Amino acid sequence: MIDSNYSDAVTERFDRAPHAGGPGAEAAGVGRAGSAADGAVVEISLEIEAGRVRAARFRAFGCPHTIAAASRLAERIEGRAVTALDAPCAAALAAELGVPAAKLGRLLIVEDALAAAVADFRDRQALPATLAAIE
Amino acid sequence: MIDSNYSDAVTERFDRAPHAGGPGAEAAGVGRAGSAADGAVVEISLEIEAGRVRAARFRAFGCPHTIAAASRLAERIEGRAVTALDAPCAAALAAELGVPAAKLGRLLIVEDALAAAVADFRDRQALPATLAAIE
Amino acid sequence: MRLPVYLDYAATTPVDPEVARVMAGCLTSDGIYGNPASVAHAPGRAAREAVEQARAQVAASIGADPGDIVWTSGATEADNLAILGAARHERGRGAHVVTGRVEHKAVLDACAQLEREGFDVTRLLPDTDGRYVPRQIEEALRGDTRLVSIMQVNNETGVVQDIAAIARACRERGVLFHSDAAQSAGRLALDVEALGVDLLSLSAHKVYGPKGVGALYVRRAARRRLEPLLFGGGQELGLRAGTLPTHQIAGMGAAFTLADERLETESLRLVELRDRLWGAVRELGDVTLNGDAAHRVPGILNLSFGGVEGESLLHAMRDLAVSTGSACTTADAGPSYVLRALGRDDTLARSSVRFSFGRFTTREEIDFAARCVRAAVSRLRALSPLRETRAAG
Amino acid sequence: MRLPVYLDYAATTPVDPEVARVMAGCLTSDGIYGNPASVAHAPGRAAREAVEQARAQVAASIGADPGDIVWTSGATEADNLAILGAARHERGRGAHVVTGRVEHKAVLDACAQLEREGFDVTRLLPDTDGRYVPRQIEEALRGDTRLVSIMQVNNETGVVQDIAAIARACRERGVLFHSDAAQSAGRLALDVEALGVDLLSLSAHKVYGPKGVGALYVRRAARRRLEPLLFGGGQELGLRAGTLPTHQIAGMGAAFTLADERLETESLRLVELRDRLWGAVRELGDVTLNGDAAHRVPGILNLSFGGVEGESLLHAMRDLAVSTGSACTTADAGPSYVLRALGRDDTLARSSVRFSFGRFTTREEIDFAARCVRAAVSRLRALSPLRETRAAG
Ligand SMILES: Cc1ncc(COP(=O)(O)O)c(C=O)c1O
Ligand SMILES: Cc1ncc(COP(=O)(O)O)c(C=O)c1O
C-alpha cells in the first residue's frame, strides 16, 4: 500500500512525544519561534547546569514532523554544552527522522526555537553581570 | 426483454415463407414492383381459373416484413375473384401482421406487385381479344 | 470493528452488496454483457433493457421522466455538461453565469473555463452559515445571464440550500438553473418538479453505487439549449456519446431505488449517530460546528477544533478515516475554500475535520470515533504552547 | 452451446471472469472501496494504489510511461479529448485537422464539431481495401495543420493502418498525431515508441474489460498542447477531472495484462477460426471479403453477400449475434459509411455482415455459424426474384 506521509520514526515520536512539557521552575532559557498562521509554533525550554543542558523540554503546535523534530531535538541536546547548541540542527533532524524536503521549513522553526532559548539563557546570564558592573 | 423488431406473425411467415416460388408454366399474370436500390423487389404470379385465383406465388428480395407480407398476400388471394384484387391491401396486411408504420412503404410495394400481376393478366386477356377483333 | 473506522462517506461510499450483485450480473458471458447499442441482437437488447430499467429507476427517484435522464461518467461530467454545455450553446446570446463560492470544484473549474472563453462569472458569497439568500441570486441576475448553478447539499458541510426559491427566481427571468445534487440523493427526497430545476447533476458513488457513473437530468425544454461535451454515435439524445456501461448504469439504478426505500429510517438513524458524536465531542470546548445547524443533511458533521493543528489532528486520529477540508481534492493541501468562504480563518479552517457517515456506520464506531477525537484533541492541546496564551489573551 | 452464438466481439466483449473478480474486489466494504483522491487515509490510499498499479499495467502494455496515461470514461472520451483538446488548445495557431472517412464516429463527430467551431477538416478517402496511403497524409498536411487522427484497426473491417509511417510523416512536420487504438489492444502488440504516436485512445470493453473506462496515452511533449474536456479537481495531470472509478480502472489494468499474456496463442487460434468460417462461407459464391486481406486483425470478418437483403439476412441468422455495418450506432439504420467509403454500393453495403469473435468463441460455435450463414443465404437467394436477372445480366 502507498504509505502515509510519515516515516515510522516520525509517527513513533509523534505518538509518545518524549520530552514534552512547558518550562519548569528551573528553566534557565525559554525560546519560541513560528506563528499559528505559519502552521507551527515551537517552544524549547532548557535547564542548564555547569554550562551543559541538564534537561530540555518542548511544546509544539504544528504538524507531526514539527512535533517529532522538537521532541528529538530536546532529547539529543541533553548533556550537551551550551556552546555546542549554536550549530544548525534542522538538516540533521530531517535526515534522522526521514522528513520530506517540503517540510524542512518546519524544522527550521524548531532550530529557531532552540536558538531563541539559548539566546534567552545568555541574556539571563548577562543580566546579573551587567547589573554587577553598574553597581 | 425488449423484443426484436418483428412480430411473431412476421417471423413465423418469414421462416416458412408459404407460397414462395417463381411463376410456373400456368401463370396467367406476373407482376413486379420495387427495386434493389429501394431495398425491396416483390414478384407476384397468378394462376387464374374461371375469373378466380387458383394459385398465387411470390418471390421477394427485401426485409422480413416484405417477405411475410408477400407470402400472406399470396395466400389470402387464392380463391378470390380477379375483380376483387383491385382493392388496396397494404393497410390490412400491416394490421394483420403487426408491421410498424415505418415499414408501410414496403407493403405498398407488395400491393403494387399484385396490381402489376393483375394488369399483366388483363393485358394477356385483352391481347387475344384485340387480335380477334383485328382478324 | 475494522480499523480505520470509515467516516468519509461524503468522499465516497462502499458499494452496497445488493448493488454489487446487480453489477456482477452485467459483466461476464453468463450475464448481460452485450452492448446496449447493439439492438439488432438479443445480447444487445438485454443490455439495452437493463439500461432503460435503470433510467426509469433514477427518473422515479427524482420525479422525472425517464426520457430526461442523460447518463454520464459521474457528477463531474454532469456538472461540466450542464455548465459548459448551456453556456457554450448560447455563446451568441448571453455572456453571464452566476454561481457561488462554496460550490464543488467541478462547478467552479467549469466556470473558470467559461471565463477563459470570454464569459462573465459572478460568484456569490454565502453567509457564515454557508447558505445563500435567494435575494442574492435575484440581485445577481442580469439581462444577459444565461445560467445559474447552485448546489443543493454542500459536500464539506452538509448544508442544504433553498433550491426551490432559487429556481423560482431564475424561472421568472427565463434563466436556466442547474443544481449539483451529488450529495443529495439518498439523503433527501428529490423531486425535480418541486425543486423547479432545469438541470440536476447526480452521482452513483455517494449513494452506495459505483464510482464512474452519474446522470444529468435535463428538463425537456432545456434539451435543445445544451451543447454536448462528447461527440460520436449519438447516444443519449445526442447529448452524450460513448458506449453505455450497462453494469455501471444498472448499479446506479439499483442504488437509487435502494436508497429511496431506506431514506426515512436511515435518516433517523443518522441523526441519532450525528447527535451522539457531536454531543460527545463538543464537551471538549472550543469546537465549532461549521454550517447552518438547521438546514443540513444528517450524515455530515464538519467541526473546527480550536488550538490544534490540522495535520497532527488527522494523524493522531488515524484510526478514523476522515478528511480535512475539501474531500475530492486532497492533492491540494491548502485550507478549505469552503470554510474560508464561511469566514473561518486559515488556522481554524486547517484544523477542521469532516466526519461523514452512512449506511454501514454503527453506533459502536461512532462511540469509538468520539473517544479518538477527544483523546487526540486533548493531547495536542496539552502539547501546544499556544493554549495558555489563548486562555490568557 | 448457448444461443444466439455471440459473434459481435468488435461491438463489445464479455468481461473475463478474472477481470470481474478484480473488479468485485474494489466495490464493497470488504474491498478497496475508498476514493483514490482521499490520500489522507488508508482506504483512500489503497484505492490510489490500485489505480496506480493499473496505470502501470496499461502503460506496460503499450510501452509507455505510467505518467503518460490519462484515465477516461472510454475511447469515445479519449478520442474527443485528443481531437477537441488538441485543436481547441491551439485555436490561435492553426486551423486545420486531417482525418479519414472510415474513422470511428467519435472521431468523425468530434471533427464535425471542430468544423462548427471554425476549423478546417480534411477527410481522406482510403483505397477500396480500406487502407490509407501514407503519401495521402503527406499531401494533406498544410502549414496550419494542427492534428492528424487516423485509427489503427478499423472496427468494421478489422483493417490495420500503417500507423508508424503516418506518424513519421506527421512528426517531420511537427504535427500532433492521434490514433484510435480501441480495437487494437489485445489483438496487436502495441508500442507507442515504435508507432511514434503522440496520442493514443484505448478502451477496456473491447479487451474483456468493463465498459465505461478507457485511457488516452499522452506523450509528455503533447501534455501541454491539450485543453481538458472536463474541469474540476485537477485529477489526471489536470487533463481530466472526476472521481477515479477504482474498480473500472483496476479491471482495465487486469484486462490489458491478461490480453498481453494471451496475445500470441490467441491470435493463432483466431486466425484458424476465421479461416474456417471464411472457407465454409465463401463456397456460397458471390461473397466479398471487405477490407485488405493481408493487413487485418484475425477476429473480424466483414462479408458482403450478393443477392440478399441485409435485414432479412440478419433475421434469418438470428441464432447468431452479429452486426451489420456500424456496430456502435445501430440506431441509425443507413448503410455503413465505412463500406460505402470502400466503394461498395448501397445494396451491397446493406447486405454486409460483420462476424467478430474472440476469447470465448469455440470451434463448435464457428461451425454452427457457418451452417447458419449458408442456410440463410441459400434460402434468401432462392426466395429472391433478382437472382435470375443477375445471372442473366
Ligand atoms: C457536490 C459534488 N459534486 C460533484 C462531485 C463529483 O462527482 P463524481 O465523483 O461523480 O465526478 C462530488 C464528489 O466527488 C460532489 O460531492
Ligand atoms: C475504433 C473505436 N473507437 C472508439 C470506440 C468507442 O469506445 P468506447 O465504447 O469505449 O467509448 C469504439 C467502440 O465502441 C471503437 O471501435
Side-chain angles (χ1 to χ4, degrees):
Chain A
M1 211 177 73
I2 298 172
D3 217 348
S4 91
N5 300 311
Y6 309 106
S7 69
D8 287 351
V10 165
T11 293
E12 201 268 339
R13 278 216 169 256
F14 171 76
D15 284 348
R16 288 197 304 121
H19 294 263
E26 299 187 37
V30 179
R32 256 193 203 202
S35 73
D38 290 342
V41 180
V42 177
E43 176 193 85
I44 300 285
S45 53
L46 305 171
E47 296 179 16
I48 310 286
E49 192 176 288
R52 292 192 170 269
V53 178
R54 189 183 58 211
R57 292 285 172 272
F58 81 97
R59 292 195 295 189
F61 167 93
C63 70
H65 297 114
T66 309
I67 290 172
S71 163
R72 178 67 186 114
L73 177 79
E75 183 173 280
R76 66 187 240 167
I77 61 178
E78 285 195 357
R80 292 211 185 153
V82 172
T83 50
L85 300 184
D86 293 330
C89 61
L93 286 169
E96 183 183 342
L97 295 171
V99 172
K103 290 293 188 131
L104 261 165
R106 301 291 169 88
L107 268 57
L108 291 173
I109 293 176
V110 176
E111 190 176 290
D112 286 352
L114 174 60
V118 170
D120 181 46
F121 168 68
R122 288 193 178 127
D123 282 354
R124 296 199 207 179
Q125 290 291 92
L127 195 61
T130 312
L131 290 178
I134 291 172
E135 265 172 296
Chain B
M1 209 178 75
I2 297 172
D3 217 348
S4 90
N5 299 312
Y6 309 105
S7 69
D8 287 349
V10 166
T11 293
E12 200 265 340
R13 278 216 169 254
F14 171 75
D15 285 347
R16 288 196 305 121
H19 294 262
E26 299 187 38
V30 179
R32 256 193 206 201
S35 74
D38 290 342
V41 179
V42 177
E43 178 192 84
I44 301 285
S45 52
L46 306 171
E47 295 179 17
I48 310 286
E49 192 177 289
R52 296 199 166 262
V53 178
R54 188 181 58 213
R57 292 283 171 273
F58 81 97
R59 291 196 296 187
F61 167 93
C63 69
H65 298 114
T66 309
I67 291 173
S71 162
R72 178 66 186 115
L73 177 78
E75 183 172 281
R76 67 187 239 164
I77 62 178
E78 286 194 357
R80 292 211 186 156
V82 173
T83 50
L85 299 183
D86 294 329
C89 60
L93 286 169
E96 183 183 342
L97 295 170
V99 171
K103 291 293 188 128
L104 262 166
R106 300 291 170 89
L107 269 56
L108 290 173
I109 293 176
V110 176
E111 189 176 291
D112 286 352
L114 173 61
V118 171
D120 181 45
F121 167 70
R122 290 192 177 128
D123 282 354
R124 298 197 205 179
Q125 292 287 94
L127 195 61
T130 310
L131 289 178
I134 292 172
E135 266 172 291
Chain C
M1 204 173 56
R2 199 188 309 237
L3 291 184
V5 169
Y6 190 69
L7 295 174
D8 207 4
Y9 278 75
T12 194
T13 58
V15 172
D16 192 283
E18 205 169 316
V19 172
R21 262 193 301 280
V22 169
M23 293 173 66
C26 300
L27 293 172
T28 55
S29 289
D30 48 8
I32 302 172
Y33 61 87
N35 187 328
S38 304
V39 290
H41 55 63
R45 285 194 296 270
R48 165 62 58 179
E49 194 196 1
V51 164
E52 296 313 321
Q53 187 193 321
R55 200 189 300 275
Q57 288 176 303
V58 169
S61 171
I62 62 168
D65 193 275
D68 298 341
I69 302 293
V70 173
W71 299 116
T72 68
S73 63
T76 295
E77 186 185 332
D79 286 345
N80 275 266
L81 175 55
I83 293 169
L84 298 178
R88 286 175 180 164
H89 188 268
E90 306 282 339
R91 217 178 313 235
R93 265 188 276 167
H96 181 233
V97 169
V98 176
T99 185
R101 294 257 199 104
V102 299
E103 298 303 306
H104 190 266
K105 272 279 181 190
V107 168
L108 293 180
D109 287 3
C111 286
Q113 170 66 12
L114 285 182
E115 283 180 321
R116 285 189 290 274
E117 295 178 16
F119 290 84
D120 238 28
V121 177
T122 300
R123 293 177 183 78
L124 303 174
L125 185 66
D127 65 26
T128 55
D129 278 350
R131 298 192 92 215
Y132 306 106
V133 190
R135 186 99 202 207
Q136 275 182 290
I137 314 276
E138 280 164 42
E139 285 168 6
L141 294 179
R142 310 192 319 209
D144 65 344
T145 305
R146 281 297 320 136
L147 178 78
V148 172
S149 177
I150 295 290
M151 74 201 313
Q152 188 176 30
V153 176
N154 186 275
N155 48 303
E156 291 196 33
T157 60
V159 167
V160 182
Q161 304 293 344
D162 187 350
I163 293 301
I166 299 172
R168 259 193 311 279
C170 293
R171 188 163 295 182
E172 277 165 18
R173 326 269 178 110
V175 174
L176 274 180
F177 177 52
H178 166 250
S179 185
D180 178 337
Q183 294 283 347
S184 315
R187 295 174 179 83
L188 295 176
L190 281 173
D191 182 327
V192 292
E193 292 312 325
L195 291 175
V197 295
D198 297 307
L199 302 158
L200 191 82
S201 297
L202 300 169
S203 182
H205 75 99
K206 313 284 188 185
V207 207
Y208 316 99
K211 301 178 205 3
V213 63
L216 182 66
Y217 159 77
V218 182
R219 185 176 294 281
R220 185 130 330 173
R223 204 180 277 179
R224 261 168 308 150
R225 293 168 74 182
L226 282 188
E227 177 178 299
L229 293 175
L230 302 181
F231 299 87
Q235 296 95 339
E236 300 301 286
L237 312 173
L239 285 176
R240 205 277 186 178
T243 298
L244 294 173
T246 320
H247 65 295
Q248 296 278 93
I249 289 170
M252 180 161 174
F256 270 59
T257 297
L258 206 58
D260 285 343
E261 285 165 14
R262 307 207 181 165
L263 180 60
E264 255 179 273
T265 52
E266 183 66 359
S267 295
L268 293 174
R269 202 180 71 88
L270 293 181
V271 164
E272 197 227 303
L273 292 181
R274 176 192 63 194
D275 290 348
R276 200 171 173 90
L277 180 58
W278 175 221
V281 164
R282 71 191 307 178
E283 286 173 12
L284 282 163
D286 199 4
V287 183
T288 317
L289 172 67
N290 291 311
D292 192 288
H295 301 92
R296 52 169 50 250
V297 291
I300 298 182
L301 198 61
N302 190 313
L303 305 177
S304 296
F305 296 90
V308 298
E309 190 276 340
E311 225 189 294
S312 278
L313 181 59
L314 267 197
H315 198 46
M317 305 192 312
R318 64 187 178 277
D319 280 340
L320 310 181
V322 294
S323 73
T324 40
S326 59
C328 304
T329 52
T330 324
D332 114 54
S336 152
Y337 66 85
V338 172
L339 298 182
R340 297 287 286 119
L342 268 58
R344 307 290 171 259
D345 68 26
D346 254 34
T347 310
L348 204 55
R350 276 186 216 272
S351 66
S352 301
V353 176
R354 179 184 69 182
F355 302 87
S356 57
F357 32 91
R359 190 175 292 170
F360 309 110
T361 308
T362 62
R363 192 188 285 197
E364 186 195 3
E365 288 179 325
I366 288 292
D367 290 345
F368 175 83
R371 285 196 301 277
C372 262
V373 174
R374 292 170 60 135
V377 171
S378 303
R379 193 171 81 85
L380 291 174
R381 283 181 177 168
L383 266 183
S384 166
L386 296 176
R387 206 62 194 161
E388 287 159 4
T389 327
R390 285 175 66 100
Chain D
M1 202 173 58
R2 198 187 310 238
L3 290 185
V5 169
Y6 189 70
L7 295 175
D8 206 5
Y9 278 74
T12 195
T13 58
V15 172
D16 192 282
E18 206 170 314
V19 172
R21 262 193 300 279
V22 168
M23 293 173 67
C26 301
L27 293 174
T28 54
S29 290
D30 49 9
I32 302 174
Y33 61 86
N35 186 328
S38 303
V39 290
H41 55 63
R45 285 194 296 271
R48 164 62 60 178
E49 195 195 2
V51 164
E52 295 313 320
Q53 188 195 319
R55 199 190 300 274
Q57 287 176 304
V58 170
S61 170
I62 62 169
D65 193 276
D68 298 340
I69 302 294
V70 173
W71 299 117
T72 67
S73 63
T76 296
E77 186 186 330
D79 286 345
N80 275 266
L81 176 55
I83 293 169
L84 299 178
R88 286 175 179 164
H89 187 268
E90 307 281 341
R91 217 176 313 233
R93 266 188 275 169
H96 181 234
V97 169
V98 177
T99 186
R101 294 258 198 101
V102 298
E103 300 301 309
H104 190 266
K105 272 277 182 192
V107 167
L108 293 179
D109 287 3
C111 287
Q113 170 65 12
L114 285 182
E115 283 180 320
R116 284 189 291 274
E117 295 178 17
F119 291 85
D120 238 27
V121 177
T122 299
R123 293 176 184 78
L124 303 173
L125 185 67
D127 64 28
T128 55
D129 278 350
R131 298 192 91 214
Y132 306 107
V133 191
R135 180 100 202 214
Q136 275 179 290
I137 314 277
E138 278 164 43
E139 286 167 5
L141 294 179
R142 308 191 320 207
D144 64 345
T145 306
R146 281 297 319 136
L147 178 78
V148 172
S149 178
I150 296 291
M151 75 202 313
Q152 188 176 30
V153 175
N154 187 275
N155 47 304
E156 291 195 33
T157 60
V159 167
V160 181
Q161 304 292 343
D162 187 350
I163 293 301
I166 298 172
R168 259 194 311 278
C170 293
R171 188 164 295 182
E172 276 164 20
R173 324 268 176 111
V175 174
L176 275 180
F177 177 52
H178 166 250
S179 185
D180 178 336
Q183 293 283 349
S184 316
R187 294 176 179 83
L188 294 176
L190 280 174
D191 182 327
V192 291
E193 292 311 325
L195 291 175
V197 295
D198 297 307
L199 301 159
L200 191 83
S201 297
L202 300 169
S203 182
H205 75 98
K206 312 285 186 183
V207 209
Y208 315 99
K211 300 180 207 359
V213 63
L216 182 66
Y217 159 77
V218 182
R219 186 175 294 281
R220 184 130 332 174
R223 204 180 279 180
R224 261 167 308 149
R225 295 168 74 182
L226 283 189
E227 178 179 298
L229 294 174
L230 302 181
F231 299 86
Q235 294 96 337
E236 299 302 289
L237 312 172
L239 286 175
R240 205 276 183 177
T243 298
L244 294 173
T246 319
H247 65 294
Q248 296 277 90
I249 289 171
M252 179 161 174
F256 270 60
T257 297
L258 206 58
D260 285 343
E261 284 166 14
R262 308 207 181 163
L263 180 59
E264 254 178 273
T265 51
E266 183 66 359
S267 295
L268 293 174
R269 201 178 72 86
L270 293 182
V271 163
E272 197 226 301
L273 293 182
R274 178 192 62 195
D275 291 348
R276 201 173 173 88
L277 181 58
W278 176 220
V281 165
R282 70 190 309 178
E283 285 174 15
L284 282 164
D286 199 4
V287 182
T288 317
L289 172 67
N290 292 310
D292 192 289
H295 301 94
R296 53 169 48 250
V297 291
I300 298 181
L301 199 60
N302 191 313
L303 304 177
S304 296
F305 296 90
V308 297
E309 192 273 342
E311 227 190 291
S312 278
L313 182 59
L314 268 196
H315 198 46
M317 304 191 312
R318 63 188 180 277
D319 280 340
L320 310 181
V322 294
S323 72
T324 39
S326 59
C328 303
T329 51
T330 324
D332 114 55
S336 153
Y337 65 86
V338 171
L339 298 183
R340 296 286 287 121
L342 268 57
R344 307 288 171 261
D345 68 26
D346 255 35
T347 310
L348 206 54
R350 278 186 215 271
S351 66
S352 302
V353 176
R354 179 184 70 182
F355 302 87
S356 57
F357 32 91
R359 190 173 291 169
F360 308 110
T361 308
T362 62
R363 193 187 286 196
E364 186 194 3
E365 288 178 325
I366 289 291
D367 290 344
F368 175 83
R371 283 196 302 276
C372 264
V373 174
R374 292 170 61 136
V377 171
S378 304
R379 194 171 80 85
L380 290 174
R381 283 181 179 167
L383 266 184
S384 168
L386 295 176
R387 205 64 196 158
E388 291 157 5
T389 328
R390 283 175 67 101

